[in-house]
Amino acid sequence: MDIRVVKSKLNGSIAVPGSKSHSIRAAVCAMLGKGISLIHSPLNSEDTRSCLNAASHYGAEVVTSPDMWTITGTGGKLRKPKGMIDLGNSGTSLRILSGIAAAMDFESRFDGDASLRTRVMEPLLEALTVLGATVESTSGKCPLSISGPLKGGEVTIDGTSSQFVTALLFAAPLATGEVKIKVNKLNEKPYVELTLDWLRRLGIKFTVSEDLHYFTIPGMQTYPSFQWTIPADFSTAAFPLAAAAITGSNIIIRNLNFDDLQGDKAVFDFFRKMGMRIETKGNSTTVMVGDDGLKGIDIDLNSTPDALPAMAAAAVFSRGTTRLLNVPQARIKETDRIACMCQELNKMGAVISELPDGLVIEGTPLHGAVVDGHGDHRIVMALALAGLGADGETIVTGAEAAAVTYPDFVNDFRKIGASIEVIK
Protein backbone atom coordinates (compact mmCIF):
# COMPACT_ATOMS: atom_id res chain seq x y z
CA MET A 1 0.00 0.00 0.00
CA ASP A 2 0.97 3.65 -0.38
CA ILE A 3 0.24 6.62 1.85
CA ARG A 4 -0.50 10.22 0.91
CA VAL A 5 0.89 12.91 3.23
CA VAL A 6 0.15 16.65 3.24
CA LYS A 7 1.74 19.43 5.30
CA SER A 8 0.19 19.42 8.77
CA LYS A 9 0.17 20.96 12.23
CA LEU A 10 0.01 18.47 15.10
CA ASN A 11 -1.60 18.62 18.54
CA GLY A 12 -2.58 16.16 21.25
CA SER A 13 -1.01 13.06 22.78
CA ILE A 14 0.29 9.80 21.42
CA ALA A 15 1.06 6.53 23.21
CA VAL A 16 4.20 4.73 22.08
CA PRO A 17 3.92 0.94 21.64
CA GLY A 18 6.17 -1.55 23.42
CA SER A 19 9.84 -2.03 22.64
CA LYS A 20 10.62 -4.43 19.81
CA SER A 21 14.06 -5.17 21.24
CA HIS A 22 12.64 -6.08 24.64
CA SER A 23 9.65 -7.98 23.20
CA ILE A 24 11.76 -10.29 21.04
CA ARG A 25 14.24 -10.94 23.84
CA ALA A 26 11.33 -11.70 26.17
CA ALA A 27 9.77 -14.15 23.69
CA VAL A 28 13.04 -16.05 23.21
CA CYS A 29 13.76 -16.23 26.96
CA ALA A 30 10.20 -17.38 27.66
CA MET A 31 10.54 -20.07 24.98
CA LEU A 32 13.67 -21.35 26.75
CA GLY A 33 12.23 -20.97 30.25
CA LYS A 34 10.88 -23.69 32.49
CA GLY A 35 7.24 -22.96 33.31
CA ILE A 36 4.86 -20.18 32.36
CA SER A 37 6.10 -16.67 31.57
CA LEU A 38 3.78 -13.65 31.50
CA ILE A 39 4.85 -10.77 29.27
CA HIS A 40 2.77 -7.63 29.76
CA SER A 41 2.37 -4.78 27.23
CA PRO A 42 4.43 -6.43 24.46
CA LEU A 43 4.76 -5.04 20.97
CA ASN A 44 2.31 -6.80 18.67
CA SER A 45 3.84 -6.34 15.23
CA GLU A 46 4.97 -8.39 12.25
CA ASP A 47 8.49 -8.83 13.64
CA THR A 48 7.34 -9.99 17.07
CA ARG A 49 4.75 -12.33 15.54
CA SER A 50 7.56 -13.92 13.50
CA CYS A 51 9.45 -14.59 16.72
CA LEU A 52 6.37 -16.01 18.47
CA ASN A 53 5.73 -18.26 15.47
CA ALA A 54 9.27 -19.61 15.80
CA ALA A 55 8.74 -20.25 19.53
CA SER A 56 5.66 -22.32 18.65
CA HIS A 57 7.67 -24.30 16.10
CA TYR A 58 10.15 -25.12 18.86
CA GLY A 59 7.46 -26.48 21.16
CA ALA A 60 6.56 -23.50 23.34
CA GLU A 61 2.85 -22.93 23.98
CA VAL A 62 2.03 -19.35 23.04
CA VAL A 63 -1.22 -17.58 23.94
CA THR A 64 -1.54 -13.94 22.93
CA SER A 65 -3.90 -11.09 23.73
CA PRO A 66 -3.49 -7.37 22.93
CA ASP A 67 -1.96 -6.67 26.35
CA MET A 68 -0.19 -9.89 27.31
CA TRP A 69 1.64 -12.94 26.01
CA THR A 70 1.43 -16.14 28.05
CA ILE A 71 4.22 -18.50 27.04
CA THR A 72 4.73 -21.97 28.45
CA GLY A 73 8.41 -22.63 27.89
CA THR A 74 10.35 -25.73 26.95
CA GLY A 75 12.82 -25.74 29.84
CA GLY A 76 15.55 -25.47 27.21
CA LYS A 77 14.49 -28.74 25.56
CA LEU A 78 13.32 -27.39 22.25
CA ARG A 79 11.33 -29.55 19.86
CA LYS A 80 12.78 -30.16 16.41
CA PRO A 81 10.83 -28.00 13.93
CA LYS A 82 8.92 -29.91 11.26
CA GLY A 83 10.00 -27.60 8.45
CA MET A 84 11.51 -24.25 7.55
CA ILE A 85 10.94 -21.46 10.08
CA ASP A 86 9.85 -18.29 8.27
CA LEU A 87 11.06 -15.20 10.16
CA GLY A 88 9.58 -12.67 7.76
CA ASN A 89 11.49 -9.38 8.06
CA SER A 90 12.84 -9.90 11.58
CA GLY A 91 16.63 -9.65 11.57
CA THR A 92 16.74 -9.56 15.38
CA SER A 93 14.85 -12.87 15.56
CA LEU A 94 17.04 -14.42 12.86
CA ARG A 95 20.28 -13.58 14.64
CA ILE A 96 19.16 -14.55 18.16
CA LEU A 97 17.40 -17.76 17.10
CA SER A 98 20.39 -18.80 14.98
CA GLY A 99 22.45 -18.75 18.16
CA ILE A 100 19.84 -20.75 20.07
CA ALA A 101 19.54 -23.25 17.20
CA ALA A 102 23.30 -23.80 17.30
CA ALA A 103 22.96 -25.09 20.87
CA MET A 104 20.45 -27.80 19.89
CA ASP A 105 21.31 -31.35 18.74
CA PHE A 106 19.03 -31.17 15.69
CA GLU A 107 18.82 -29.13 12.50
CA SER A 108 16.92 -25.83 12.28
CA ARG A 109 16.25 -24.16 8.93
CA PHE A 110 15.52 -20.44 8.66
CA ASP A 111 14.30 -18.22 5.86
CA GLY A 112 12.40 -14.96 5.47
CA ASP A 113 11.36 -12.27 3.02
CA ALA A 114 13.53 -10.70 0.32
CA SER A 115 14.89 -8.14 2.79
CA LEU A 116 15.85 -10.75 5.38
CA ARG A 117 17.78 -12.64 2.70
CA THR A 118 20.07 -9.61 2.35
CA ARG A 119 21.02 -9.37 6.05
CA VAL A 120 24.65 -10.06 6.86
CA MET A 121 25.03 -13.28 8.87
CA GLU A 122 28.55 -14.49 8.12
CA PRO A 123 30.33 -13.12 11.26
CA LEU A 124 27.80 -14.86 13.51
CA LEU A 125 27.77 -18.11 11.52
CA GLU A 126 31.57 -18.28 11.59
CA ALA A 127 31.62 -17.77 15.37
CA LEU A 128 29.00 -20.47 15.91
CA THR A 129 31.03 -22.86 13.75
CA VAL A 130 34.13 -22.24 15.88
CA LEU A 131 32.06 -23.21 18.94
CA GLY A 132 31.02 -26.52 17.39
CA ALA A 133 27.88 -25.82 15.35
CA THR A 134 27.31 -27.03 11.81
CA VAL A 135 26.07 -24.38 9.39
CA GLU A 136 24.89 -24.67 5.79
CA SER A 137 24.31 -21.56 3.69
CA THR A 138 25.23 -20.94 0.06
CA SER A 139 25.59 -17.19 0.51
CA GLY A 140 26.39 -16.67 4.19
CA LYS A 141 22.84 -15.38 4.50
CA CYS A 142 19.30 -16.76 4.54
CA PRO A 143 18.12 -19.36 3.72
CA LEU A 144 20.34 -21.33 6.07
CA SER A 145 20.41 -24.35 8.35
CA ILE A 146 22.09 -24.73 11.73
CA SER A 147 22.61 -27.66 14.07
CA GLY A 148 24.59 -28.10 17.26
CA PRO A 149 25.41 -28.67 19.96
CA LEU A 150 27.70 -25.83 21.02
CA LYS A 151 30.73 -27.31 22.74
CA GLY A 152 32.10 -24.17 24.32
CA GLY A 153 35.57 -22.71 23.90
CA GLU A 154 37.03 -19.37 22.89
CA VAL A 155 35.70 -17.30 20.00
CA THR A 156 36.16 -13.85 18.49
CA ILE A 157 33.10 -12.11 17.03
CA ASP A 158 32.78 -9.07 14.78
CA GLY A 159 30.63 -6.54 16.65
CA THR A 160 29.69 -4.48 13.58
CA SER A 161 26.13 -5.46 14.45
CA SER A 162 25.37 -5.79 18.16
CA GLN A 163 22.92 -8.56 17.24
CA PHE A 164 25.83 -10.91 16.51
CA VAL A 165 27.04 -10.42 20.09
CA THR A 166 23.54 -10.70 21.55
CA ALA A 167 23.01 -14.02 19.74
CA LEU A 168 26.17 -15.48 21.30
CA LEU A 169 25.28 -14.17 24.75
CA PHE A 170 21.86 -15.85 24.71
CA ALA A 171 23.24 -19.11 23.27
CA ALA A 172 26.41 -19.51 25.35
CA PRO A 173 24.63 -20.49 28.60
CA LEU A 174 23.21 -23.50 26.70
CA ALA A 175 26.63 -24.75 25.54
CA THR A 176 28.11 -27.94 26.96
CA GLY A 177 31.15 -26.04 28.25
CA GLU A 178 32.35 -22.58 29.16
CA VAL A 179 32.34 -19.97 26.40
CA LYS A 180 34.81 -17.09 26.23
CA ILE A 181 33.91 -14.31 23.79
CA LYS A 182 36.13 -11.53 22.46
CA VAL A 183 34.39 -8.75 20.52
CA ASN A 184 36.06 -6.69 17.81
CA LYS A 185 34.70 -3.33 16.56
CA LEU A 186 31.69 -3.22 18.85
CA ASN A 187 28.88 -0.94 17.66
CA GLU A 188 25.53 -0.25 19.36
CA LYS A 189 26.75 -0.88 22.92
CA PRO A 190 23.36 -0.08 24.52
CA TYR A 191 21.79 -3.08 22.78
CA VAL A 192 24.41 -5.39 24.29
CA GLU A 193 23.76 -3.82 27.70
CA LEU A 194 20.06 -4.53 27.16
CA THR A 195 20.86 -8.19 26.55
CA LEU A 196 23.06 -8.37 29.64
CA ASP A 197 20.23 -6.86 31.68
CA TRP A 198 17.97 -9.71 30.54
CA LEU A 199 20.59 -12.31 31.51
CA ARG A 200 21.00 -10.73 34.96
CA ARG A 201 17.22 -10.57 35.44
CA LEU A 202 16.99 -14.30 34.74
CA GLY A 203 19.93 -15.28 36.95
CA ILE A 204 22.26 -16.34 34.12
CA LYS A 205 25.89 -16.35 35.27
CA PHE A 206 28.57 -14.48 33.31
CA THR A 207 31.46 -12.08 33.68
CA VAL A 208 32.07 -9.10 31.40
CA SER A 209 34.82 -6.52 30.99
CA GLU A 210 33.99 -2.88 31.54
CA ASP A 211 34.30 -2.09 27.82
CA LEU A 212 31.99 -5.00 26.83
CA HIS A 213 34.72 -6.59 24.71
CA TYR A 214 35.32 -9.75 26.79
CA PHE A 215 32.77 -12.21 28.21
CA THR A 216 33.05 -15.51 30.07
CA ILE A 217 29.85 -17.57 30.31
CA PRO A 218 29.57 -20.98 32.01
CA GLY A 219 27.72 -23.61 30.02
CA MET A 220 24.90 -25.98 31.04
CA GLN A 221 22.73 -23.20 32.50
CA THR A 222 18.94 -23.08 32.46
CA TYR A 223 16.56 -20.22 31.78
CA PRO A 224 13.70 -19.73 34.31
CA SER A 225 10.18 -18.50 33.63
CA PHE A 226 9.43 -14.88 34.50
CA GLN A 227 6.86 -12.09 34.55
CA TRP A 228 7.72 -8.66 33.17
CA THR A 229 6.19 -5.54 31.62
CA ILE A 230 7.70 -4.38 28.34
CA PRO A 231 8.59 -0.67 28.37
CA ALA A 232 7.67 1.65 25.48
CA ASP A 233 9.98 1.70 22.48
CA PHE A 234 12.31 4.72 22.33
CA SER A 235 13.28 3.98 18.72
CA THR A 236 9.59 4.36 17.86
CA ALA A 237 9.22 7.43 20.09
CA ALA A 238 11.77 9.13 17.84
CA PHE A 239 9.07 9.51 15.18
CA PRO A 240 6.49 11.60 17.07
CA LEU A 241 9.40 13.56 18.55
CA ALA A 242 10.80 14.28 15.08
CA ALA A 243 7.30 15.03 13.78
CA ALA A 244 6.86 17.74 16.41
CA ALA A 245 10.24 19.20 15.42
CA ILE A 246 9.44 19.16 11.69
CA THR A 247 5.97 20.69 12.01
CA GLY A 248 6.72 23.13 14.84
CA SER A 249 4.06 21.46 16.98
CA ASN A 250 3.57 20.77 20.69
CA ILE A 251 2.59 17.17 21.45
CA ILE A 252 2.63 14.81 24.42
CA ILE A 253 4.31 11.38 24.15
CA ARG A 254 3.03 8.92 26.76
CA ASN A 255 4.42 5.81 28.46
CA LEU A 256 8.16 6.59 28.22
CA ASN A 257 10.43 5.27 30.97
CA PHE A 258 13.73 7.14 30.85
CA ASP A 259 15.21 4.76 33.43
CA ASP A 260 15.14 1.92 30.88
CA LEU A 261 18.42 0.90 29.23
CA GLN A 262 17.29 1.46 25.64
CA GLY A 263 19.99 3.46 23.91
CA ASP A 264 17.54 5.29 21.66
CA LYS A 265 16.41 7.48 24.54
CA ALA A 266 19.50 9.50 23.59
CA VAL A 267 17.46 10.84 20.65
CA PHE A 268 15.70 13.14 23.13
CA ASP A 269 19.08 14.61 24.04
CA PHE A 270 19.90 15.08 20.34
CA PHE A 271 16.73 17.11 19.85
CA ARG A 272 17.37 19.17 22.98
CA LYS A 273 20.73 20.17 21.51
CA MET A 274 18.98 21.07 18.25
CA GLY A 275 16.62 23.43 20.10
CA MET A 276 13.63 21.36 21.25
CA ARG A 277 12.07 21.91 24.68
CA ILE A 278 11.30 18.58 26.34
CA GLU A 279 9.58 18.24 29.71
CA THR A 280 8.71 14.96 31.46
CA LYS A 281 6.12 14.69 34.21
CA GLY A 282 5.09 11.21 35.32
CA ASN A 283 4.58 9.07 32.23
CA SER A 284 3.94 12.07 29.95
CA THR A 285 6.67 13.82 27.97
CA THR A 286 5.79 17.14 26.32
CA VAL A 287 7.89 18.05 23.28
CA MET A 288 7.88 21.43 21.53
CA VAL A 289 10.12 23.51 19.31
CA GLY A 290 12.00 26.31 21.05
CA ASP A 291 11.62 29.97 20.10
CA ASP A 292 14.61 29.85 17.76
CA GLY A 293 13.51 26.70 15.90
CA LEU A 294 15.87 23.81 15.10
CA LYS A 295 19.58 24.23 14.49
CA GLY A 296 21.91 21.83 12.75
CA ILE A 297 24.52 20.00 14.85
CA ASP A 298 26.94 17.06 14.60
CA ILE A 299 25.48 13.82 16.01
CA ASP A 300 27.31 10.55 16.73
CA LEU A 301 24.76 7.81 15.97
CA ASN A 302 26.94 4.77 16.66
CA SER A 303 24.88 3.72 19.68
CA THR A 304 21.56 4.67 18.06
CA PRO A 305 21.65 3.58 14.39
CA ASP A 306 17.88 3.13 14.16
CA ALA A 307 17.50 6.87 14.71
CA LEU A 308 19.20 7.78 11.44
CA PRO A 309 16.06 7.97 9.22
CA ALA A 310 14.08 10.14 11.65
CA MET A 311 17.08 12.36 12.40
CA ALA A 312 17.75 12.81 8.69
CA ALA A 313 14.15 13.88 8.06
CA ALA A 314 14.27 16.40 10.91
CA ALA A 315 17.69 17.74 9.93
CA VAL A 316 16.34 19.03 6.60
CA PHE A 317 14.08 21.41 8.57
CA SER A 318 16.96 22.75 10.70
CA ARG A 319 19.05 25.89 10.24
CA GLY A 320 22.54 25.25 8.93
CA THR A 321 24.30 21.92 8.61
CA THR A 322 23.60 18.64 10.40
CA ARG A 323 26.08 15.78 10.20
CA LEU A 324 24.98 12.27 11.20
CA LEU A 325 28.24 10.44 11.93
CA ASN A 326 29.94 7.18 12.98
CA VAL A 327 27.09 4.89 11.97
CA PRO A 328 28.43 2.58 9.22
CA GLN A 329 26.17 -0.23 10.46
CA ALA A 330 23.17 1.73 9.16
CA ARG A 331 24.16 0.37 5.76
CA ILE A 332 23.45 -3.24 6.81
CA LYS A 333 19.99 -2.85 8.32
CA GLU A 334 16.78 -3.71 6.44
CA THR A 335 18.26 -1.53 3.70
CA ASP A 336 21.29 0.68 3.25
CA ARG A 337 19.58 3.43 5.22
CA ILE A 338 22.28 5.98 4.50
CA ALA A 339 21.94 5.59 0.74
CA CYS A 340 18.14 5.27 0.80
CA MET A 341 17.50 8.37 2.91
CA CYS A 342 19.89 10.38 0.76
CA GLN A 343 18.19 9.21 -2.43
CA GLU A 344 14.61 9.80 -1.28
CA LEU A 345 15.07 13.12 0.53
CA ASN A 346 16.91 14.35 -2.57
CA LYS A 347 13.70 13.76 -4.56
CA MET A 348 11.99 16.20 -2.19
CA GLY A 349 14.59 18.90 -2.73
CA ALA A 350 16.94 18.21 0.17
CA VAL A 351 20.59 19.24 -0.04
CA ILE A 352 22.07 16.02 1.29
CA SER A 353 25.17 13.94 0.67
CA GLU A 354 26.53 10.61 1.83
CA LEU A 355 29.56 9.90 3.96
CA PRO A 356 30.91 6.34 4.28
CA ASP A 357 29.48 6.31 7.81
CA GLY A 358 26.68 8.88 7.70
CA LEU A 359 25.04 11.89 6.07
CA VAL A 360 25.62 15.63 5.69
CA ILE A 361 22.36 17.59 5.48
CA GLU A 362 21.77 21.29 4.82
CA GLY A 363 18.58 22.89 6.07
CA THR A 364 16.34 23.71 3.11
CA PRO A 365 12.61 23.79 2.25
CA LEU A 366 11.15 20.54 0.87
CA HIS A 367 8.50 19.94 -1.75
CA GLY A 368 6.23 16.95 -2.07
CA ALA A 369 7.24 14.02 -4.28
CA VAL A 370 6.66 10.33 -4.85
CA VAL A 371 9.21 8.56 -2.66
CA ASP A 372 10.04 4.88 -2.13
CA GLY A 373 9.93 3.35 1.35
CA HIS A 374 12.29 0.57 0.17
CA GLY A 375 10.39 -1.99 2.24
CA ASP A 376 11.97 -0.54 5.39
CA HIS A 377 9.66 0.44 8.24
CA ARG A 378 11.86 3.25 9.54
CA ILE A 379 12.40 4.77 6.10
CA VAL A 380 8.65 4.68 5.41
CA MET A 381 7.88 6.53 8.64
CA ALA A 382 10.74 9.02 8.24
CA LEU A 383 9.64 9.96 4.73
CA ALA A 384 6.08 10.38 5.95
CA LEU A 385 7.38 12.83 8.58
CA ALA A 386 9.25 14.75 5.89
CA GLY A 387 5.97 14.98 4.00
CA LEU A 388 4.30 16.55 7.04
CA GLY A 389 6.63 19.54 6.66
CA ALA A 390 6.92 19.71 2.86
CA ASP A 391 4.96 21.93 0.49
CA GLY A 392 2.50 20.00 -1.66
CA GLU A 393 1.64 16.31 -1.58
CA THR A 394 3.98 13.44 -0.76
CA ILE A 395 3.30 9.81 -1.69
CA VAL A 396 5.26 7.13 0.19
CA THR A 397 5.19 3.79 -1.61
CA GLY A 398 5.45 0.43 0.15
CA ALA A 399 4.10 1.92 3.37
CA GLU A 400 2.85 -1.44 4.65
CA ALA A 401 6.42 -1.97 5.92
CA ALA A 402 5.63 0.31 8.88
CA ALA A 403 3.73 -2.62 10.43
CA VAL A 404 7.05 -4.32 11.20
CA THR A 405 7.35 -2.19 14.35
CA TYR A 406 4.44 0.27 14.35
CA PRO A 407 1.22 -1.24 12.96
CA ASP A 408 -0.87 1.77 14.11
CA PHE A 409 1.46 4.43 12.72
CA VAL A 410 -1.05 6.01 10.32
CA ASN A 411 -4.01 5.89 12.71
CA ASP A 412 -2.03 7.24 15.67
CA PHE A 413 -0.66 10.16 13.69
CA ARG A 414 -4.06 10.98 12.23
CA LYS A 415 -5.39 11.29 15.80
CA ILE A 416 -2.92 14.10 16.53
CA GLY A 417 -3.76 16.00 13.35
CA ALA A 418 -1.47 14.54 10.69
CA SER A 419 -2.92 14.63 7.19
CA ILE A 420 -2.05 11.04 6.25
CA GLU A 421 -4.27 8.64 4.34
CA VAL A 422 -3.79 5.15 3.00
CA ILE A 423 -3.99 4.62 -0.75
CA LYS A 424 -4.77 0.95 -1.28
Side-chain angles (χ1 to χ4, degrees):
M1 76 181 190
D2 302 341
I3 55 175
R4 180 186 290 114
V5 188
V6 178
K7 195 170 187 176
S8 307
K9 193 76 170 180
L10 309 180
N11 185 50
S13 66
I14 189 167
V16 176
S19 162
K20 182 179 77 166
S21 296
H22 275 302
S23 295
I24 289 176
R25 285 164 172 77
V28 171
C29 292
M31 173 190 75
L32 293 170
K34 184 177 182 180
I36 299 174
S37 294
L38 303 178
I39 302 166
H40 302 276
S41 302
L43 172 65
N44 289 302
S45 72
E46 289 181 3
D47 270 14
T48 60
R49 285 192 291 272
S50 292
C51 189
L52 292 176
N53 176 62
S56 296
H57 274 282
Y58 279 126
E61 181 182 325
V62 178
V63 179
T64 66
S65 68
D67 298 320
M68 187 170 72
W69 296 339
T70 303
I71 300 178
T72 303
T74 63
K77 298 178 180 179
L78 302 187
R79 180 180 67 198
K80 181 179 179 179
K82 293 182 179 179
M84 181 79 74
I85 298 177
D86 183 353
L87 292 173
N89 189 253
S90 183
T92 305
S93 299
L94 174 63
R95 270 83 178 248
I96 294 177
L97 289 170
S98 292
I100 301 301
M104 300 297 121
D105 60 359
F106 53 75
E107 180 188 53
S108 296
R109 294 185 294 133
F110 299 112
D111 202 359
D113 65 11
S115 174
L116 197 71
R117 288 187 172 193
T118 69
R119 310 291 174 81
V120 175
M121 288 291 292
E122 197 164 6
L124 174 59
L125 300 181
E126 289 177 351
L128 293 173
T129 300
V130 169
L131 293 174
T134 300
V135 175
E136 292 184 12
S137 173
T138 57
S139 62
K141 300 175 182 177
C142 264
L144 54 86
S145 68
I146 302 177
S147 58
L150 289 183
K151 300 175 183 178
E154 298 185 8
V155 67
T156 299
I157 184 75
D158 179 355
T160 299
S161 170
S162 64
Q163 291 176 3
F164 302 153
V165 182
T166 282
L168 286 185
L169 292 175
F170 278 126
L174 304 173
T176 58
E178 181 182 82
V179 177
K180 292 187 176 182
I181 303 169
K182 177 184 176 183
V183 183
N184 287 334
K185 298 180 295 185
L186 178 60
N187 292 324
E188 309 164 348
K189 282 187 177 182
Y191 287 96
V192 175
E193 291 170 341
L194 203 69
T195 298
L196 296 178
D197 191 53
W198 270 97
L199 296 179
R200 291 187 185 98
R201 183 179 300 117
L202 299 176
I204 300 298
K205 297 177 181 178
F206 64 89
T207 60
V208 56
S209 64
E210 187 174 344
D211 62 3
L212 304 185
H213 281 70
Y214 297 91
F215 303 85
T216 301
I217 306 171
M220 303 294 288
Q221 299 190 61
T222 58
Y223 282 82
S225 58
F226 60 91
Q227 182 173 181
W228 203 60
T229 299
I230 302 295
D233 196 321
F234 275 95
S235 61
T236 299
F239 291 98
L241 174 59
I246 288 168
T247 62
S249 303
N250 297 356
I251 64 173
I252 296 171
I253 306 173
R254 304 198 308 274
N255 301 339
L256 298 179
N257 176 9
F258 284 88
D259 291 329
D260 191 64
L261 291 176
Q262 294 175 68
D264 285 280
K265 65 186 178 183
V267 174
F268 284 78
D269 292 328
F270 300 157
F271 275 102
R272 282 192 181 94
K273 292 175 182 176
M274 294 176 76
M276 292 285 286
R277 297 205 307 268
I278 301 172
E279 301 172 357
T280 297
K281 186 175 182 180
N283 73 340
S284 295
T285 299
T286 302
V287 298
M288 64 204 86
V289 178
D291 295 337
D292 296 330
L294 294 181
K295 63 179 179 181
I297 61 172
D298 288 358
I299 305 174
D300 186 327
L301 288 180
N302 188 265
S303 293
T304 56
D306 287 340
L308 181 135
M311 295 305 306
V316 184
F317 296 88
S318 304
R319 300 187 320 277
T321 304
T322 298
R323 297 196 304 161
L324 307 179
L325 304 169
N326 194 26
V327 63
Q329 69 271 36
R331 293 191 182 275
I332 58 169
K333 296 293 183 176
E334 285 84 336
T335 58
D336 180 339
R337 287 177 173 163
I338 293 172
C340 289
M341 288 304 298
C342 184
Q343 175 184 327
E344 300 308 320
L345 288 175
N346 181 264
K347 293 177 183 177
M348 302 177 73
V351 179
I352 181 171
S353 59
E354 293 184 44
L355 300 171
D357 65 345
L359 291 166
V360 178
I361 305 164
E362 303 294 336
T364 188
L366 295 189
H367 57 75
V370 177
V371 291
D372 184 356
H374 292 272
D376 186 323
H377 54 123
R378 299 196 195 281
I379 289 179
V380 166
M381 292 187 285
L383 293 175
L385 301 191
L388 292 176
D391 293 328
E393 178 183 272
T394 298
I395 305 294
V396 184
T397 64
E400 66 277 2
V404 166
T405 49
Y406 198 169
D408 294 325
F409 170 71
V410 171
N411 289 335
D412 283 358
F413 272 72
R414 283 173 63 90
K415 291 175 183 177
I416 58 172
S419 182
I420 302 180
E421 62 176 341
V422 174
I423 309 170
K424 294 186 179 180

